Amino acid sequence: MVDAKPQQFWRNSPADAILLAITVTQFAGTIALAALTPDGLWPRLGSAALVTAMMTYSIIVVTHLFVHQPWFTDSRLNAALSLVSSANIAQSVQGYYLTHVRNHHRYNNDRKRDGTTADITSTYRHGRDDGHAPLWRYLVGGLASSALEWVATWAMLRRGCAVGPQEATLQGLASRNPTRRAAELSQIRYDRLAYLAFTVLLAVLSWQWTLLCYLPSVALAFTLVNVQNYYRHFGAEPESRYANSVSHYGRLYNLLTFNDGYHQEHHLRPATHWSRLPVVAEQYQEQFEEAGRVVSPVPALVGFLDTGRVGQRPSAKPSVG
């Protein structure tokens, strides 16, 4: 995460203050729910539903935007916010940056070569015959992986949650520059400590709420995020830079999610600020149409409602330009 224009407070736009407010509200709101949710089935169900919604929205929208374009020019503020956001999403934001920006956006949900995919989150990774994995397989595998990582992070407390040599994915994605590499791996460590400490705080406030509401909500949020990622790429063409993901142009959805629906545009120009994605859509409209990219009538989170979408398309040669 490299900062620019140090003379300014906001790196890109003061509009990112809205995202900051959402982040702080989620952090404080989760604590309030742990402390104030009364006993009883319906209060706990309502509390769990709210935590699930906040965490899912944070991972899909708020934190996703932050890892691509940190909001502040001051790297210390970005590092501090990474701790808060890590508590919000029960995982390291810096780790999210490495696996999402440096891996997913490099390989763009690629198909298998030599038995696996370069993109560790690819929907083709556990598929057959060059096709997507079934949704259930993608969700079960993703949740199992997240659960193992969560348990492993608690086990890492004995070494202060530092990234170990056995964590090949993170070690391989971290910067080659020694100074930057040290900063990235240290941030992962602090992020982990932050969300583990946050979990302990919630348990101190109410271990029953943490066990019955919070932890199930984390599992459900991670599953919903995987549903979102699956349908953001289901039926797309990985070999084409103009058709390797799926967009949704519903006005209300994009208003509420800071243009999250412009996903093909985001894949084409991942460093573009969210406010400029509609401009990217206009600039590349001709190329998009020629590539035959997929446009969904519904948001990716309910992509299963787009029953006319074809899951497997013929492989195409990589497009140039």
Side-chain angles (χ1 to χ4, degrees):
M1 302 182 186
V2 179
D3 292 320
K5 300 179 181 179
Q7 73 278 10
Q8 299 179 2
F9 183 74
W10 300 104
R11 181 180 180 182
N12 293 289
S13 169
D16 289 335
I18 304 172
L19 296 167
L20 174 61
I22 294 172
T23 300
V24 174
T25 299
Q26 180 189 355
F27 184 83
T30 304
I31 294 174
L33 287 171
L36 303 175
T37 299
D39 294 338
L41 176 62
W42 293 111
R44 284 177 173 167
L45 282 177
S47 183
L50 187 54
V51 172
T52 300
M54 289 192 298
M55 186 173 292
T56 303
Y57 184 85
S58 181
I59 298 172
I60 290 174
V61 179
V62 182
T63 308
H64 176 242
L65 294 175
F66 178 73
V67 298
H68 278 283
Q69 286 289 330
W71 303 330
F72 309 115
T73 58
D74 190 329
S75 61
R76 293 167 297 181
L77 288 177
N78 287 323
L81 187 61
S82 182
L83 303 181
V84 176
S85 296
S86 295
N88 282 346
I89 66 173
Q91 60 184 297
S92 167
V93 169
Q94 182 65 51
Y96 181 9
Y97 168 79
L98 294 183
T99 57
H100 180 75
V101 177
R102 292 197 183 155
N103 179 261
H104 175 66
H105 276 278
R106 178 179 180 183
Y107 298 108
N108 297 299
N109 202 68
D110 61 329
R111 300 180 199 266
K112 288 188 288 187
R113 293 182 182 179
D114 300 322
T116 190
T117 61
D119 182 349
I120 60 177
T121 62
S122 176
T123 58
Y124 293 97
R125 194 172 184 86
H126 300 291
R128 294 181 179 180
D129 301 325
D130 204 33
H132 297 282
L135 176 61
W136 70 266
R137 175 69 177 82
Y138 189 75
L139 298 183
V140 170
L143 183 58
S145 177
S146 296
L148 288 173
E149 180 181 349
W150 190 80
V151 171
T153 303
W154 282 99
M156 293 174 194
L157 271 172
R158 65 181 182 274
R159 64 166 189 263
C161 289
V163 179
Q166 76 280 7
E167 296 183 78
T169 297
L170 294 177
Q171 292 284 358
L173 293 171
S175 174
R176 299 297 96 185
N177 177 280
T179 301
R180 186 170 181 178
R181 180 182 181 84
E184 290 175 351
L185 295 180
S186 292
Q187 186 65 50
I188 293 176
R189 178 182 190 177
Y190 300 139
D191 286 348
R192 288 170 170 175
L193 290 170
Y195 75 75
L196 292 185
F198 188 68
T199 305
V200 171
L201 171 62
L202 298 178
V204 169
L205 292 172
S206 174
W207 68 265
Q208 298 95 332
W209 182 88
T210 303
L211 181 63
L212 299 175
C213 297
Y214 179 72
L215 294 181
S217 294
V218 172
L220 181 55
F222 284 179
T223 300
L224 291 175
V225 169
N226 284 330
V227 171
Q228 173 90 352
N229 189 64
Y230 188 86
Y231 284 109
R232 274 176 163 172
H233 300 96
F234 182 76
E237 182 52 66
E239 292 79 13
S240 171
R241 65 184 299 231
Y242 300 115
N244 58 20
S245 57
V246 178
S247 289
H248 166 67
Y249 296 122
R251 292 185 180 180
L252 179 60
Y253 178 81
N254 283 299
L255 176 65
L256 296 176
T257 62
F258 302 84
N259 292 326
D260 177 71
Y262 288 81
H263 200 62
Q264 181 60 66
E265 294 77 4
H266 173 65
H267 263 264
L268 185 63
R269 294 285 181 266
T272 299
H273 190 256
W274 59 265
S275 62
R276 299 282 299 169
L277 290 175
V279 177
V280 176
E282 294 178 2
Q283 290 175 339
Y284 290 93
Q285 186 61 37
E286 183 177 346
Q287 290 92 327
F288 290 159
E289 291 179 356
E290 289 178 354
R293 58 69 177 265
V294 178
V295 176
S296 176
V298 295
L301 196 58
V302 290
F304 52 86
L305 296 177
D306 183 11
T307 56
R309 194 186 309 181
V310 178
Q312 186 169 351
R313 301 168 66 188
S315 299
K317 294 180 180 180
S319 58
V320 179

